[in-house]
Amino acid sequence: MKILVVGSGGREHAMVWKLAQSPRKLALYCAPGNAGIESLATCVPIKADDITALKTFVMSEKIDLTVVGPEAPLALGIVDEFRQSKLKIFGPTKGAARIEASKVFSKEIMSRANILTAKAQSFDRVAPALAYLDQHEVPVVVKADGLAQGKGVVVAATREEAKQAVRDSMEQAVFGQAGQRVLIEQFLDGEELTVMAFTDGLTVVPMLPAQDHKRVGDGDTGPNTGGMGAYCPAPIGSTALCTQVTRQILYPAVEALSRMGCPFQGVLYAGLMIVNGMPYVLEFNARMGDPETQVVLPLLKTDLLEVMEAVVEHRLDQLTVDWHDETAVCVVMTSEGYPGAYQTGRAIHGLPTTTEGTTMVFHAGTTRTGTEVVTAGGRVLGITGRGKTLEVAQAEAYRVTQSIVFEGAHYRTDIAHRAFSHHA
Ligand code: AMP
Ligand code: GLY
């Protein structure tokens, strides 16, 4: 069986790595992939959002299943395009992916489905947005409506900061078209949690709860990034809370999407804030999280291909999805300057060659030049450690992280810190 994974980040490396463990005989391809993925799959130099070229490749290579990693091709309608040509693909349609691609649409779904979320107001002109801020208490959250690689959210401590965020987004267009409409949202004070779920549009199978670290610096300081690390399972995601999230958030969202004529198939990601024990939705994503995937998939016992096929064939209700009774911690190494401007092309030394045993080095922004692996993005590597306890998994992840060197490398030294404060 031939499988193509679309994307080039740490998430896609983890997906390819997990698919490669399938007991079935698979030929794996990845477009465009990276220097780590190429040890497990044939990398094809087609960009993740070049739907026409991807479709031509899938037809000529007779690929049996395409799995979409990132949001951009989903928002562009890769699934609709492939289905029209009767090609099997894992992921939601363009209509369903709006739950991530438009924060305004996402709020509409939540309001129809009675899902708890922060109060928000949307604006497509600057003056009313600034006037609204004059009346709003602080802190307050300003969000670009569209896709901004996890960087379109500013949690503003002062009104002036919030106004600047509105101007940057709408006048300076720092997020391009994605920021021409903004949401001004009530600040929620609590602890964050990610619950992702496989769904075929009818059945929802939640994965283990994880926690991402969005701020660039130790102690959750500095600007938001795509994600600096993650751990799983997050102790705050108790069995009772995850059941509540499944019943009160995931099922209602999936059902509301179906009722609106855009049934969701693939992975639905709920980004939550737990406030006084109650889960509020901060955002939905229409795909697996990065770096959450790098800690969740290593704990999945069931063959990922079996799960994906059950989703595509609408028979998820007939599958039991099992998990290892273990923990995982992922530390992301980034380029100096990220999430701002950064340089690439820096040689990476000390890279372990395998992703076996208790640590896995998932590549994100890497490429090969000759015999050297060099940096090629903001997030460069995600090092996952596995172990019976989070302490062990964390020690494993940092042991390997410390042995990898490139100029300007940055990583947080406190990934999983919140889990330990729960034990205290
Ligand atoms: P989002 O992309 O919507 O998940 O937002 C990125 C990050 O901004 C989240 O992970 C939170 O840390 C923070 N954030 C977003 N919305 C809120 C909110 N309403 N209250 C507090 N923090 C928020
Ligand atoms: N880790 C956050 C995201 O994937 O959007």
Side-chain angles (χ1 to χ4, degrees):
M1 185 173 183
K2 289 183 171 181
I3 300 185
L4 170 69
V5 174
V6 176
S8 62
R11 165 184 49 212
E12 287 75 21
H13 192 176
M15 289 165 105
V16 167
W17 169 84
K18 181 64 190 166
L19 286 168
Q21 290 166 20
S22 171
R24 288 157 67 182
K25 199 170 157 6
L26 302 182
L28 293 168
Y29 297 80
C30 189
N34 60 38
I37 293 174
E38 68 185 25
S39 64
L40 297 168
T42 305
C43 290
V44 196
I46 303 173
K47 290 215 172 81
D49 57 3
D50 189 347
I51 296 174
T52 312
L54 288 169
K55 193 166 136 185
T56 306
F57 173 77
V58 161
M59 290 175 111
S60 68
E61 275 299 319
K62 301 201 165 38
I63 300 288
D64 298 290
L65 174 68
T66 301
V67 176
V68 188
E71 58 276 18
L74 295 169
L76 288 170
I78 188 172
V79 171
D80 312 61
E81 188 74 29
F82 272 46
R83 288 221 189 117
Q84 265 172 25
S85 301
K86 302 262 181 295
L87 300 170
K88 243 191 205 184
I89 184 161
F90 179 90
T93 58
K94 182 177 181 171
R98 279 181 299 164
I99 196 161
E100 169 169 10
S102 167
K103 291 192 188 286
V104 172
F105 178 77
S106 169
K107 287 283 184 195
E108 170 68 26
I109 293 281
M110 288 189 256
S111 133
R112 288 185 187 215
N114 270 321
I115 294 171
L116 274 184
T117 184
K119 285 194 193 65
Q121 187 86 35
S122 78
F123 295 92
D124 47 23
R125 288 190 305 120
V126 176
L130 298 181
Y132 182 77
L133 281 173
D134 276 329
Q135 308 300 320
H136 206 291
E137 58 185 29
V138 286
V140 61
V141 185
V142 178
K143 300 185 172 186
D145 177 46
L147 297 178
Q149 298 184 317
K151 298 169 207 159
V153 175
V154 173
V155 178
T158 63
R159 288 203 178 93
E160 205 30 63
E161 202 186 323
K163 287 181 177 179
Q164 194 55 46
V166 167
R167 288 192 206 101
D168 286 348
S169 187
M170 297 176 88
E171 289 176 352
Q172 306 299 320
V174 292
F175 308 114
Q177 197 57 35
Q180 289 311 295
R181 184 152 63 158
V182 297
L183 240 69
I184 296 177
E185 188 169 287
Q186 168 200 16
F187 172 78
L188 294 176
D189 196 7
E191 188 169 342
E192 284 184 64
L193 183 70
T194 298
V195 180
M196 300 187 276
F198 296 106
T199 177
D200 57 6
L202 293 168
T203 302
V204 172
V205 176
M207 302 185 212
L208 293 179
Q211 197 172 64
D212 185 7
H213 297 56
K214 294 223 167 78
R215 303 294 193 100
V216 73
D218 278 0
D220 297 316
T221 54
N224 270 320
T225 67
M228 295 298 296
Y231 65 96
C232 178
I236 189 177
S238 64
T239 309
L241 185 72
C242 289
T243 304
Q244 189 182 357
V245 169
T246 306
R247 289 199 187 135
Q248 296 175 5
I249 293 173
L250 296 166
Y251 266 109
V254 165
E255 286 160 6
L257 283 160
S258 287
R259 278 198 303 275
M260 288 173 80
C262 35
F264 191 102
Q265 259 186 336
V267 171
L268 182 62
Y269 167 127
L272 309 166
M273 186 73 88
I274 313 303
V275 185
N276 299 325
M278 289 298 283
Y280 285 71
V281 173
L282 293 182
E283 65 166 347
F284 281 114
N285 291 326
R287 35 93 195 160
M288 296 199 73
D290 189 341
E292 289 95 330
T293 304
Q294 293 90 305
V295 288
V296 171
L297 286 188
L299 302 181
L300 176 63
K301 204 188 259 179
T302 309
D303 180 8
L304 180 60
L305 177 61
E306 293 294 328
V307 185
M308 289 181 159
E309 284 191 323
V311 165
V312 173
E313 292 163 13
H314 293 287
R315 48 175 179 76
L316 198 52
D317 60 328
Q318 289 158 38
L319 190 77
T320 307
V321 177
D322 291 318
W323 300 90
H324 293 289
D325 185 16
E326 276 192 278
T327 68
V329 172
C330 176
V331 177
V332 172
M333 294 181 86
T334 67
S335 295
E336 185 175 13
Y338 175 81
Y342 53 83
Q343 294 196 344
T344 58
R346 295 186 163 161
I348 306 171
H349 304 286
L351 268 178
T353 47
T354 70
T355 46
E356 298 301 317
T358 53
T359 56
M360 290 135 283
V361 177
F362 294 121
H363 289 225
T366 69
T367 191
R368 193 175 291 278
T369 54
T371 56
E372 257 183 357
V373 174
V374 302
T375 64
R379 289 191 289 176
V380 177
L381 299 165
I383 295 97
T384 297
R386 238 169 82 170
K388 273 285 162 213
T389 65
L390 280 169
E391 283 87 348
V392 172
Q394 186 194 48
E396 277 298 277
Y398 278 112
R399 180 178 60 77
V400 174
T401 302
Q402 282 155 6
S403 68
I404 301 174
V405 178
F406 59 90
E407 193 190 336
H410 165 71
Y411 58 87
R412 280 182 59 164
T413 62
D414 63 349
I415 301 301
H417 69 108
R418 284 188 195 273
F420 304 127
S421 58
H422 277 282
H423 293 315

